[in-house]
Amino acid sequence: MRTSSLTVLLWSCMLHAIHMMSAEKRTIKHSHSERITGSSENDGKTLHRNKRGWMWNQFFLLEEYTGPDTQYVGKLHTDQDKGDGNLKYILTGDGAGSLFIIDENTGDIHAAKKLDREEKSLYVLRAKAIDRKTGRQVEPESEFIIKIHDINDNEPKFTKDMYTASIPEMAGVGTSVIQVTATDADDANYGNSAKVVYSILQGQPYFSVDPETGIIKTALPDMSRENREQYQVVIQAKDMGGQMGGLSGTTTVNITLTDVNDNPPRFPQSTYQFSSPESASPGTPLGRIKANDPDVGENAEIEYSISNGDGSDMFDIATDKDTQEGIITVKKHLDFENKMLYTLRVDAINTHPDPRFIQLGPFKDTALVKISVEDVDEPPVFSRPWYLIEVDEDVKEGSIIGQVEAQDPDITKNAIKYSVDRHTDLDRIFNIYSGNGSLFISKPLDREETPWHNITVIATEINNPKQTSQIPVFIRILDINDHAPEFARYYETFVCENAKAGQLIQTVSAVDKDEPPRGHKFFFELVPEFALHPNFSIVDNKDNTAGIMTRRNGYSRNKMSTYLLPIIIFDNDYPIQSSTGTLTIRVCACDSRGNMQSCNAEALLLPAGLSTGALVAILLCIIILLVLVVLFTTLKRQRKKEPLIISKDDVRDNIVTYNDEGGGEEDTQAFDIGALRNPEAREESKMRRDVIPETIFQVRRTAPLWENIDVQDFIHRRLKENDLDPAAPPYDSLATYAYEGNDSIANSLSSLESLTTEGNQDYDYLSDWGPRFKKLADMYGGEDSDRD
């Protein structure tokens, strides 16, 4: 097989001849088939080497070509091409036919469009030559690469359009703030198109930027936030290493100085003046002071305190956390007459000092606060917060029991008058002298009724009645032994008929309304006339009780059913009080154990232990049961008298309602044939009430006519029966049960008659009779009225 060669000519743009000269060194050179003969040291054979017809390198095209014609890439050619047009050149691969077009006859390759390296920097193409007649390849297919030559057509772009950064104030020179970054889409490996250099356009002399890294740093020392807080820095990024002709882009960096506690608080003035009325209550705010601190946040938080002064115990200061002000308040009650002016020394100090700035001085300030007290017309003041007065309950009316005292605290010392608040002394037991405040008694006292009296005394300035004060006065009534002791309760005492001598039948005790300071002590004795009572005796137990003892064996109810035993009770207070109480002792029958069974004849009729209340309850129950029985019997009798025919559905009631041809449907006084069909009423034998019959006739039983539905026949038989009955009443039953016969002009309206007919009757003519028969027309006018 004979080897042929293919020549590819690449032409460059005239504007880049220098680059293309270097490119020609990388293109295919003319190649010929060569035979290389050599000898081998090993076998001495002759070697043959055939050079390929395709020799390829990388080829370059300029991007963004803007010439009038398409950019010429190169030419494909093979030594098999005789110029007779028998060969056809074909180009395939990236962009073949669209970006790169080949002239299949000449093999010239052109770039049909403007190329952008940033979109695609490398194209791989394949070329081959085909014989048009045979269709076979005269050269084997081979690849070649076209690289897009970069030009500086992209400016640097920052990753952000705007940066935000912050740095503490007072930072040293060279403190890093933030780093900005810009990128260039050009080829960084070819020339300086993508080499970016940073510079600062705005923000000097406060900040600087590193030209290679883009790190922004502080350029001035001790920048104060209080002087300026916000800075706007403009950074430029320029390619081509910053040289002229390079493209550039910019970004903005907003830098904020954050606060540090580098300023102490300062009062705007050294002295403050306030005033307060002496009537101000503790906790009343008097005014506010504020120390200025240019710092913000917690660096500006201030704590106020009173460090010295003659009013440090009378006033207080607190910090308002929202406004950072010091609020001065009253701590104790003020008295103009005692002190008119106070001086305070107030300190303001930062609560969060920064150790880095301690050397700048103490972070606190001091100011003087002067507070003047204003005089106020004050109400009278009593000498005590309350008064306690003790008085005997037997004190005489008009006696002075105590005194209250009040005075005007003002310098004027106005006169005072006193009075008793009658809402606290409704009975007007106490009174007071208005001039000196002496209390005296107006009515008698009784400790047993009211041991304590709580009244209110009012003091009023005479010159200014609006200025008043009140004071409670507690009056304790002291006890006097003015009540005699008495039995503690009513005693029901009994003695058994079979009692033995010396037997205890009752223990009595006493009470006394008085309250002696050493407690009660009572003594019990029999009345002197009964000191030697033959039946009973009393024994004082020395513990405010006494026992009643029997003095003989056996007692008889028949001889003496009740004994009266008078007992004298003494107390031991001064003056000694005594009273006589009579103990009633009944004689009762008892069992062997001494339990009472009965005490009189009336009790013998009743069960033991049955009280009067129980008997009353039993009687009430019996009466209620009797009333219930009577009511039940009465109701039962009333039920027996009810009529036999009460159903509204009975057919005989329809005769009463609808078979009366006299007054129409509005006549409600028609006869009730149900009375005729009552067997009991028909068979009842009735005697004449006005005539005494001579002969008592035997009552005749008639046939059961009530089952006959023929009313005419029924009435005639009933009439005949009454005519033949001498005991029938004098009035004729025809007056009540009249019958008009069958010769009525209008046909019967009763539904009973329809039972004898074989078909349904037509009642439509009822609608023509007028409104009086409308109800009947509605009931019988329909087709199914009879069936319904």
Side-chain angles (χ1 to χ4, degrees):
M1 179 179 177
R2 194 175 69 88
T3 302
S4 62
S5 63
L6 178 66
T7 303
V8 178
L9 302 177
L10 297 178
W11 303 91
S12 303
C13 295
M14 299 299 295
L15 296 176
H16 299 277
I18 299 176
H19 295 287
M20 292 310 296
M21 289 176 63
S22 60
E24 288 177 356
K25 298 178 181 179
R26 297 190 296 269
T27 57
I28 298 177
K29 297 181 180 179
H30 296 281
S31 58
H32 303 278
S33 297
E34 297 180 359
R35 177 173 292 179
I36 301 175
T37 303
S39 61
S40 175
E41 298 178 355
N42 296 325
D43 52 9
K45 292 182 179 180
T46 300
L47 299 178
H48 297 276
R49 183 183 66 179
N50 293 328
K51 279 192 175 182
R52 293 187 58 195
W54 302 89
M55 294 182 61
W56 306 102
N57 255 322
Q58 287 188 355
F59 307 113
F60 296 92
L61 280 181
L62 291 177
E63 67 169 334
E64 303 294 343
Y65 175 74
T66 57
D69 300 326
T70 57
Q71 189 176 183
Y72 183 72
V73 178
K75 183 181 180 66
L76 290 180
H77 185 72
T78 177
D79 54 3
Q80 298 294 324
D81 189 359
K82 304 300 183 181
D84 53 4
N86 290 329
L87 294 183
K88 179 182 179 180
Y89 296 95
I90 297 176
L91 185 67
T92 59
D94 294 339
S98 58
L99 293 180
F100 303 102
I101 300 175
I102 187 171
D103 188 334
E104 60 180 16
N105 296 320
T106 62
D108 293 327
I109 302 174
H110 291 81
K113 297 180 180 180
K114 183 171 61 175
L115 302 177
D116 188 355
R117 189 201 63 84
E118 286 71 36
E119 291 183 3
K120 189 174 180 64
S121 61
L122 185 69
Y123 295 88
V124 179
L125 298 172
R126 291 177 294 276
K128 59 183 176 180
I130 300 176
D131 191 326
R132 290 179 184 271
K133 296 179 179 180
T134 62
R136 65 179 183 85
Q137 294 184 12
V138 298
E139 294 287 351
E141 184 182 72
S142 184
E143 289 184 349
F144 65 95
I145 296 174
I146 299 177
K147 290 192 65 177
I148 307 303
H149 211 53
D150 183 43
I151 64 172
N152 190 17
D153 59 342
N154 292 279
E155 72 276 4
K157 291 184 179 181
F158 286 92
T159 56
K160 294 182 180 178
D161 294 335
M162 181 176 293
Y163 292 83
T164 301
S166 62
I167 185 175
E169 62 174 334
M170 308 300 289
V173 176
T175 302
S176 177
V177 180
I178 192 174
Q179 183 179 15
V180 296
T181 303
T183 59
D184 195 320
D186 293 325
D187 190 357
N189 298 321
Y190 180 76
N192 294 327
S193 298
K195 185 177 183 181
V196 178
V197 175
Y198 300 95
S199 62
I200 185 168
L201 300 182
Q202 178 182 323
Q204 295 174 332
Y206 309 104
F207 301 94
S208 63
V209 62
D210 189 298
E212 295 184 358
T213 62
I215 297 176
I216 300 174
K217 301 179 181 179
T218 57
L220 285 180
D222 301 332
M223 286 191 295
S224 176
R225 184 200 63 82
E226 290 73 30
N227 295 332
R228 183 175 177 182
E229 184 176 4
Q230 297 287 341
Y231 294 87
Q232 191 175 71
V233 180
V234 178
I235 302 298
Q236 181 189 66
K238 190 174 183 181
D239 59 10
M240 299 297 292
Q243 298 177 5
M244 292 183 62
L247 303 178
S248 64
T250 60
T251 187
T252 301
V253 182
N254 292 324
I255 301 175
T256 302
L257 296 184
T258 58
D259 185 62
V260 297
N261 193 4
D262 58 339
N263 294 281
R266 290 289 181 264
F267 285 105
Q269 59 193 68
S270 60
T271 305
Y272 293 85
Q273 295 281 350
F274 297 101
S275 61
S276 172
E278 62 176 337
S279 60
S281 59
T284 302
L286 302 181
R288 292 171 175 251
I289 62 175
K290 183 177 182 181
N292 297 326
D293 191 334
D295 297 324
V296 294
E298 68 175 13
N299 297 323
E301 292 181 0
I302 300 174
E303 187 72 28
Y304 297 91
S305 61
I306 298 175
S307 60
N308 201 352
D310 54 3
S312 58
D313 58 338
M314 301 298 296
F315 302 93
D316 200 359
I317 189 170
T319 303
D320 188 334
K321 298 300 183 183
D322 296 330
T323 63
Q324 297 301 314
E325 293 177 316
I327 306 174
I328 300 175
T329 57
V330 178
K331 188 176 181 180
K332 296 181 180 179
H333 286 286
L334 303 176
D335 189 359
F336 173 81
E337 290 72 25
N338 185 27
K339 191 174 179 62
M340 304 180 186
L341 182 64
Y342 294 91
T343 302
L344 307 176
R345 186 178 295 274
V346 178
D347 292 339
I349 186 172
N350 278 141
T351 57
H352 298 86
D354 194 329
R356 296 176 298 173
F357 305 102
I358 295 296
Q359 71 276 4
L360 298 180
F363 279 73
K364 73 174 183 177
D365 197 12
T366 303
L368 293 178
V369 178
K370 295 183 179 181
I371 302 174
S372 58
V373 181
E374 299 175 351
D375 188 22
V376 176
D377 190 5
E378 300 176 270
V381 178
F382 284 92
S383 59
R384 300 179 188 176
W386 49 272
Y387 290 87
L388 174 63
I389 299 175
E390 294 182 343
V391 58
D392 294 333
E393 64 177 325
D394 61 347
V395 67
K396 297 181 179 180
E397 297 180 17
S399 299
I400 295 176
I401 61 174
Q403 184 180 12
V404 297
E405 182 181 359
Q407 62 179 357
D408 184 9
D410 299 320
I411 297 178
T412 56
K413 300 297 180 185
N414 292 326
I416 306 297
K417 66 176 182 180
Y418 304 90
S419 61
V420 175
D421 185 357
R422 290 305 172 188
H423 294 91
T424 61
D425 185 23
L426 298 177
D427 297 332
R428 295 182 175 270
I429 299 175
F430 304 95
N431 214 329
I432 191 170
Y433 291 107
S434 62
N436 59 10
S438 297
L439 287 166
F440 60 92
I441 299 297
S442 299
K443 292 183 180 180
L445 302 176
D446 187 358
R447 187 206 66 83
E448 287 70 32
E449 182 179 350
T450 309
W452 284 89
H453 294 273
N454 301 327
I455 66 174
T456 299
V457 175
I458 302 174
T460 306
E461 290 186 12
I462 296 177
N463 295 337
N464 187 5
K466 294 183 179 180
Q467 297 295 335
T468 61
S469 297
Q470 297 181 351
I471 197 72
V473 179
F474 307 103
I475 302 174
R476 180 183 180 185
I477 310 303
L478 300 179
D479 185 38
I480 299 299
N481 193 24
D482 56 347
H483 292 83
E486 56 188 13
F487 281 127
R489 60 182 179 87
Y490 174 76
Y491 293 98
E492 294 183 355
T493 306
F494 71 93
V495 61
C496 295
E497 288 182 311
N498 56 357
K500 304 296 182 182
Q503 183 176 343
L504 176 65
I505 61 173
Q506 184 67 60
T507 299
V508 297
S509 60
V511 293
D512 194 339
K513 295 181 179 180
D514 297 321
E515 290 185 0
R518 294 182 297 276
H520 291 290
K521 182 65 177 177
F522 302 119
F523 303 94
F524 302 87
E525 296 180 358
L526 292 177
V527 177
E529 292 79 2
F530 295 88
L532 297 176
H533 199 283
N535 297 306
F536 305 98
S537 63
I538 186 169
V539 177
D540 194 336
N541 296 327
K542 307 301 181 182
D543 59 355
N544 294 335
T545 63
I548 309 301
M549 313 292 291
T550 59
R551 295 191 63 184
R552 63 186 179 87
N553 295 328
Y555 296 85
S556 175
R557 283 185 296 170
N558 297 329
K559 294 181 179 180
M560 192 72 175
S561 62
T562 304
Y563 295 92
L564 299 179
L565 184 65
I567 300 174
I568 303 175
I569 308 174
F570 301 89
D571 59 18
N572 67 336
D573 205 357
Y574 179 82
I576 296 177
Q577 300 288 344
S578 64
S579 66
T580 301
T582 300
L583 192 66
T584 301
I585 305 174
R586 294 186 299 168
V587 179
C588 300
C590 304
D591 56 15
S592 59
R593 297 183 179 180
N595 297 322
M596 181 184 67
Q597 291 182 337
S598 62
C599 296
N600 47 48
E602 181 181 352
L604 294 176
L605 299 176
L606 300 175
L610 191 61
S611 64
T612 304
L615 292 175
V616 173
I618 293 173
L619 290 175
L620 287 175
C621 293
I622 293 173
I623 292 171
I624 292 172
L625 290 175
L626 291 174
V627 171
L628 292 176
V629 171
V630 172
L631 291 175
F632 180 79
T633 304
T634 303
L635 293 174
K636 189 174 182 180
R637 289 179 179 177
Q638 289 180 355
R639 290 179 180 177
K640 291 182 178 180
K641 295 180 180 180
E642 293 180 355
L644 293 178
I645 302 176
I646 59 175
S647 174
K648 294 183 180 180
D649 297 331
D650 196 290
V651 70
R652 288 168 293 181
D653 286 341
N654 296 334
I655 297 176
V656 176
T657 306
Y658 306 113
N659 200 27
D660 186 5
E661 300 177 359
E665 63 178 335
E666 294 183 357
D667 186 0
T668 59
Q669 303 298 326
F671 60 86
D672 185 4
I673 200 169
L676 293 175
R677 296 185 175 183
N678 189 342
E680 295 182 4
R682 187 184 67 255
E683 295 177 2
E684 182 180 0
S685 176
K686 297 181 179 179
M687 302 295 293
R688 296 177 63 94
R689 291 173 291 178
D690 56 339
V691 178
I692 300 176
E694 297 178 356
T695 306
I696 300 176
F697 295 92
Q698 182 70 25
V699 178
R700 292 178 288 110
R701 297 285 180 177
T702 60
L705 300 176
W706 57 89
E707 296 180 358
N708 190 355
I709 62 174
D710 189 352
V711 179
Q712 180 180 0
D713 184 58
F714 177 84
I715 291 177
H716 281 297
R717 292 189 184 188
R718 183 61 173 165
L719 179 61
K720 183 178 180 180
E721 178 181 314
N722 281 275
D723 290 338
L724 298 176
D725 188 4
Y731 46 83
D732 196 336
S733 60
L734 285 176
T736 304
Y737 307 109
Y739 183 75
E740 296 181 3
N742 293 328
D743 296 331
S744 174
I745 299 176
N747 292 328
S748 176
L749 302 179
S750 173
S751 60
L752 295 176
E753 186 176 336
S754 64
L755 295 176
T756 60
T757 62
E758 297 179 356
N760 294 332
Q761 297 185 16
D762 185 10
Y763 295 97
D764 293 339
Y765 60 88
L766 293 176
S767 300
D768 301 330
W769 287 11
R772 294 172 60 86
F773 296 88
K774 184 177 185 301
K775 186 173 182 180
L776 287 175
D778 294 338
M779 295 178 63
Y780 294 93
E783 284 184 5
D784 301 330
S785 61
D786 291 338
R787 286 195 299 271
D788 294 339

